[in-house]
């Protein structure tokens, strides 16, 4: 059996009696939620800022309520806990905005972690602990799962929840409400925790839920967006499965093992989202939506009953005529394919299990079915050459079917990350986590140059691929946040298929949008977070957004 690249505890199964008990509780409380009990501990879940930009037509993804935070909030709400989501993704000063909504207003603080919000998490925890040292802080999500040791050593985190959190958070809060943490924490699986003496301990892994049908229907009205003047946006992020059968060197998965909901559960969820929240578009964020032909067709048969448009992520190797026809007939607008690169050596080293032939075959199959094909591409993977990059540019410019391009990120927990740490390319893990917080997925980003290619070659390829974008599926998005930023107007409409879909001038005002960088982001540029030689290979030719902040501040100071 091939050696797994991710931490071995992620491959465990949550199948003990305590896991089954909480899964049964989730089922019962989904049908009959417990009335909110003000005597129970108040739980506040914070969603912090991300600098990540999205191309024109995909902005809805940045603002939508998302599954991880929604499920955690929902299971606690259904169990009777007073739950509140604090969403500061697009505040000009997210740290201050979060702090003002926390202090004096919660008994337990939960923080959602993701790859690009480490400084926010660290600084928020520090400020809260200064004001209220007795409020416990629980962190969950992909980043703390990938580097729990860093969080426990470098932040004021009290408990790190590893991998899936629904069962674990119910067990934690039940124990906390009963005043039993001192006794129970050593026996609650799937966590790292801090003892009263300040020592860090870890418990055995909980693993993944075996039965996703136990998950509740998502209560999107727990998000503050639902109470705003525009109400909830009609685009939603959802899934029918968790996990991925692949083991790509650059990709981190908190749930690597594949689990799927039944068609009956999927139908119940879709009916709830459609009837209660009026959704009209869904981004299915399953890592490989069409992995299994029969299952894909079954799920598409369910989706077809709800008259929505949708998109998903999948692999080129997992597409054929029966699958794409079922996807088209159920409302698929565009299918996003993890192409990443066309170079055979690059794909082999990345463990993609793909090839240029498979990519072209999937593209033709998708086009022939009348569905749009969206390429997800990476500039700077290990093994990339100037020739393979030129070929990828030609591919993008020929078909104008790019949905996303980004420079390679060494995501914590991945093989690429581990190799960068061991080689010294990453000076320290904390430095790297800080630097990830200023990556905006824009042409001018700094990048960690693991390919060894000249910086100019990488930037020229990125720009050419970026200019080959096609429109995203929601051109009439109406929930733009007040403080959104807009980047790179592009007068070139691309091919006729783009204008026939989105009209002429579809990206003339902007081609990407995102929330603002958090104040102080200029502290985390590559020259401050990497060795000088490393920084020079990926940050010399352009001024990234964080450096622009520093420059603007200097000009303003004069």
């Amino acid at each position: 059996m091939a050696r797994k690249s991710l931490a071995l505890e992620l491959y465990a199964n949550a199948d003990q009696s305590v896991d089954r008990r909480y899964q049964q509780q989730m089922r019962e409380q989904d049908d009959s939620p417990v009335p909110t009990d003000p005597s129970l501990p108040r739980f506040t879940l914070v969603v912090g800022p991300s600098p990540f930009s999205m191309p024109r037509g995909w902005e809805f993804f940045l603002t939508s309520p998302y599954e991880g935070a929604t499920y955690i909030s929902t299971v606690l709400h259904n169990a009777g806990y007073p739950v509140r989501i604090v969403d500061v993704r697009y505040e000009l000063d997210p740290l201050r905005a979060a702090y003002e909504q926390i202090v004096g207003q919660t008994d337990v603080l939960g923080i959602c972690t993701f790859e690009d919000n480490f400084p926010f998490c660290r600084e928020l925890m520090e400020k809260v602990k200064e004001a209220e040292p007795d409020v416990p802080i629980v962190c969950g999500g992909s980043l703390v799962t990938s580097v729990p040791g860093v969080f426990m050593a470098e932040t004021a985190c009290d408990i790190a929840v590893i991998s899936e959190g629904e069962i674990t958070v119910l067990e934690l809060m039940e124990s906390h409400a009963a005043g039993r943490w001192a006794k129970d924490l050593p026996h609650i699986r799937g966590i790292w925790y801090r003892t009263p003496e300040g020592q860090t301990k870890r418990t055995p892994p909980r693993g993944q839920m075996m039965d996703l049908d136990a998950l509740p229907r998502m209560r999107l009205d727990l998000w503050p967006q639902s109470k705003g003047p525009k109400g909830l946006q009609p685009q939603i992020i959802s899934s029918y499965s968790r996990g991925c059968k692949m083991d790509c060197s650059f990709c981190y998965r908190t749930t690597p093992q594949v689990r799927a909901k039944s068609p009956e559960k999927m139908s119940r969820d879709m009916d709830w989202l459609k009837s209660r929240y009026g959704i009209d578009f869904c981004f299915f964020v399953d890592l490989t939506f069409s992995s299994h032909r029969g299952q894909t067709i079954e799920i598409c048969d369910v989706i077809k009953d709800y008259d929505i448009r949708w998109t998903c992520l999948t692999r080129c190797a997992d597409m054929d005529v029966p699958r794409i026809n079922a996807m088209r007939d159920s409302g698929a607008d565009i299918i996003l394919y993890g192409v990443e690169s066309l170079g055979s050596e690059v794909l082999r080293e990345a463990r993609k299990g793909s090839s240029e032939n498979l990519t072209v075959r999937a593209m033709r199959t998708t086009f022939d079915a009348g569905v749009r094909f969206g390429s997800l591409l990476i500039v700077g993977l290990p093994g990339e050459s100037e020739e393979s990059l030129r070929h990828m540019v030609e591919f993008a410019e020929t078909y104008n079917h790019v949905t996303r391009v980004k420079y390679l990120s060494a995501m914590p927990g991945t093989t690429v990350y581990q190799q960068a740490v061991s080689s010294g390319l990453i000076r320290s893990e904390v430095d790297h986590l800080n630097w990830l917080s200023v990556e905006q997925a824009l042409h001018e980003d700094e990048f960690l140059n693991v390919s060894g290619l000249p910086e100019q070659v990488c930037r020229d390829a990125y720009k050419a691929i970026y200019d080959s974008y096609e429109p995203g599926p929601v051109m009439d998005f109406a929930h733009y946040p007040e403080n959104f930023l807009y980047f790179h107007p592009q007068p070139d409409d691309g091919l006729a298929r783009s204008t026939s879909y989105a009209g002429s001038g579809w990206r003339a005002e902007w081609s990407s949008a995102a929330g603002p960088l958090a104040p102080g982001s200029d502290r985390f540029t590559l020259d401050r977070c990497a060795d000088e030689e490393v920084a020079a290979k990926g940050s010399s030719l352009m001024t990234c957004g964080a450096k622009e902040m520093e420059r603007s501040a200097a000009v303003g100071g004069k």
Side-chain angles (χ1 to χ4, degrees):
M1 183 177 179
R3 180 181 179 273
K4 301 287 195 300
S5 67
L6 303 178
L8 291 179
E9 57 261 30
L10 298 179
Y11 298 90
N13 293 329
D15 57 359
Q16 295 188 15
S17 59
V18 65
D19 305 311
R20 291 190 289 273
R21 175 167 76 83
Y22 284 110
Q23 288 180 79
Q24 183 59 29
Q25 176 181 322
M26 280 191 274
R27 289 177 188 271
E28 294 171 355
Q29 292 175 346
D30 183 37
D31 289 329
S32 301
V34 177
T36 299
D37 183 349
S39 70
L40 289 175
R42 297 167 295 174
F43 187 92
T44 299
L45 187 62
V46 175
V47 180
S50 168
F52 207 72
S53 67
M54 291 298 277
R56 185 74 181 94
W58 293 95
E59 298 93 336
F60 73 92
F61 184 77
L62 294 174
T63 62
S64 177
Y66 65 94
E67 275 202 341
T70 307
Y71 273 130
I72 296 299
S73 302
T74 299
V75 298
L76 289 176
H77 167 83
N78 289 354
Y81 294 94
V83 177
R84 189 166 49 107
I85 298 176
V86 170
D87 183 359
V88 295
R89 285 179 285 184
Y90 306 107
E91 296 285 347
L92 291 176
D93 190 342
L95 187 62
R96 178 178 178 180
Y99 178 82
E100 290 177 348
Q101 296 179 70
I102 293 167
V103 173
Q105 301 170 69
T106 196
D107 300 305
V108 179
L109 176 62
I111 299 180
C112 300
T113 73
F114 25 91
E115 285 74 9
D116 54 13
N117 79 344
F118 178 75
F120 168 82
C121 295
R122 186 192 63 230
E123 291 166 22
L124 179 63
M125 284 187 267
E126 181 181 353
K127 284 178 66 70
V128 170
K129 282 294 186 182
E130 286 177 359
E132 295 187 309
D134 293 332
V135 170
I137 300 176
V138 181
C139 291
S142 57
L143 185 58
V144 75
T145 294
S146 65
V147 285
V150 174
F151 265 77
M152 301 308 291
E154 303 291 339
T155 78
C157 175
D158 293 302
I159 298 175
V161 175
I162 306 305
S163 190
E164 291 174 330
E166 292 89 0
I167 295 174
T168 305
V169 77
L170 284 172
E171 188 171 7
L172 281 170
M173 290 301 290
E174 183 179 287
S175 173
H176 180 65
R180 296 198 312 260
W181 266 10
K183 177 182 177 182
D184 291 349
L185 286 182
H187 309 290
I188 295 177
R189 295 174 8 261
I191 63 170
W192 291 48
Y193 68 97
R194 200 179 307 280
T195 69
E197 296 75 32
Q199 292 181 303
T200 295
K201 301 284 187 179
R202 60 188 297 185
T203 65
R206 184 178 298 278
Q208 288 183 230
M209 290 176 59
M210 302 294 287
D211 182 8
L212 295 189
D213 283 10
L215 289 169
R217 294 164 294 179
M218 293 191 293
R219 292 189 171 268
L220 302 179
D221 44 296
L222 294 173
W223 285 80
Q225 187 189 84
S226 68
K227 302 169 184 65
K230 296 179 181 177
L232 280 168
Q233 62 190 65
Q235 303 87 20
I236 185 61
I237 296 170
S238 187
S239 70
Y240 79 87
S241 67
R242 293 178 176 178
C244 179
K245 64 184 180 182
M246 302 304 295
D247 192 33
C248 300
S249 66
F250 55 86
C251 179
Y252 187 76
R253 292 91 63 211
T254 58
T255 54
Q257 301 183 103
V258 180
R259 302 279 189 266
K261 298 174 184 175
S262 67
E264 295 76 19
K265 166 62 173 170
M266 183 67 173
S267 181
R268 178 176 165 87
D269 285 353
M270 292 299 298
D271 181 68
W272 171 264
L273 293 170
K274 181 79 174 182
S275 62
R276 188 176 181 94
Y277 302 115
I279 66 160
D280 60 20
F281 187 91
C282 188
F283 191 145
F284 291 107
V285 289
D286 309 72
L287 294 176
T288 48
F289 184 93
S290 62
S291 285
H292 305 285
R293 180 190 293 168
Q295 181 175 271
T296 303
I297 293 171
E298 266 191 335
I299 292 298
C300 287
D301 284 343
V302 170
I303 298 170
K304 184 164 56 176
D305 290 338
Y306 294 97
D307 188 28
I308 64 167
R309 294 165 56 243
W310 58 275
T311 185
C312 70
L313 304 158
T314 196
R315 301 174 62 245
C316 293
D318 294 333
M319 189 53 65
D320 54 25
V321 171
R323 276 179 273 205
I324 194 61
N325 285 347
M327 295 165 88
R328 176 202 61 213
D329 293 345
S330 60
D333 179 300
I334 183 171
I335 309 298
L336 307 187
Y337 290 89
V339 175
E340 324 306 356
S341 175
L342 299 178
S344 57
E345 290 300 319
V346 183
L347 293 171
R348 184 177 300 112
E349 186 163 348
R351 302 194 295 268
K352 274 293 296 181
S354 187
S355 67
E356 181 175 356
N357 286 341
L358 284 173
T359 295
V360 172
R361 186 183 72 183
M363 181 179 65
R364 298 291 186 196
T365 300
T366 305
F367 283 160
D368 289 348
V371 180
R372 297 194 298 147
F373 180 101
S375 290
L376 306 175
L377 301 171
I378 297 175
V379 169
L381 280 162
E384 197 78 79
S385 66
E386 293 191 39
E387 180 182 0
S388 63
L389 264 186
R390 279 197 299 272
H391 184 45
M392 189 157 69
V393 168
E394 293 169 0
F395 177 70
E397 292 180 333
T398 298
Y399 296 106
N400 268 175
H401 59 12
V402 177
T403 289
R404 160 63 71 206
V405 60
K406 67 186 299 292
Y407 299 112
L408 175 69
S409 295
M411 290 299 177
T414 64
T415 299
V416 169
Y417 177 81
Q418 293 157 2
Q419 291 172 343
V421 170
S422 62
S423 69
L425 199 60
I426 290 176
R427 185 172 64 185
S428 79
E429 292 190 87
V430 171
D431 282 334
H432 186 68
L433 299 184
N434 285 332
W435 173 70
L436 286 174
S437 72
V438 301
E439 279 194 300
Q440 295 179 278
L442 293 171
H443 174 223
E444 59 268 29
D445 273 359
E446 301 177 335
F447 60 94
L448 202 64
N449 195 337
V450 305
S451 69
L453 291 172
E455 181 182 350
Q456 190 67 60
V457 169
C458 294
R459 294 201 180 277
D460 288 347
Y462 190 110
K463 182 64 165 60
I465 296 169
Y466 181 91
D467 289 343
S468 300
Y469 279 145
E470 62 183 320
V474 185
M475 302 301 295
D476 57 349
F477 181 57
H479 280 67
Y480 288 106
E482 179 182 357
N483 300 318
F484 240 37
L485 300 178
Y486 303 92
F487 306 95
H488 305 310
Q490 169 60 272
D492 183 0
D493 283 336
L495 299 184
R497 73 163 68 98
S498 292
T499 52
S500 65
Y501 182 87
S504 59
W506 61 275
R507 54 182 176 176
E509 295 185 52
W510 72 89
S511 57
S512 289
L517 284 170
S521 292
D522 53 291
R523 295 170 292 164
F524 305 128
T525 51
L526 203 56
D527 58 340
R528 291 173 168 86
C529 296
D531 290 336
E532 183 177 348
E533 183 179 349
V534 171
K537 293 179 180 179
S539 65
S540 298
L541 301 180
M542 299 195 77
T543 302
C544 68
K547 284 184 177 176
E548 284 289 353
M549 292 176 68
E550 184 178 28
R551 177 183 295 178
S552 298
V555 172
K558 293 178 181 178

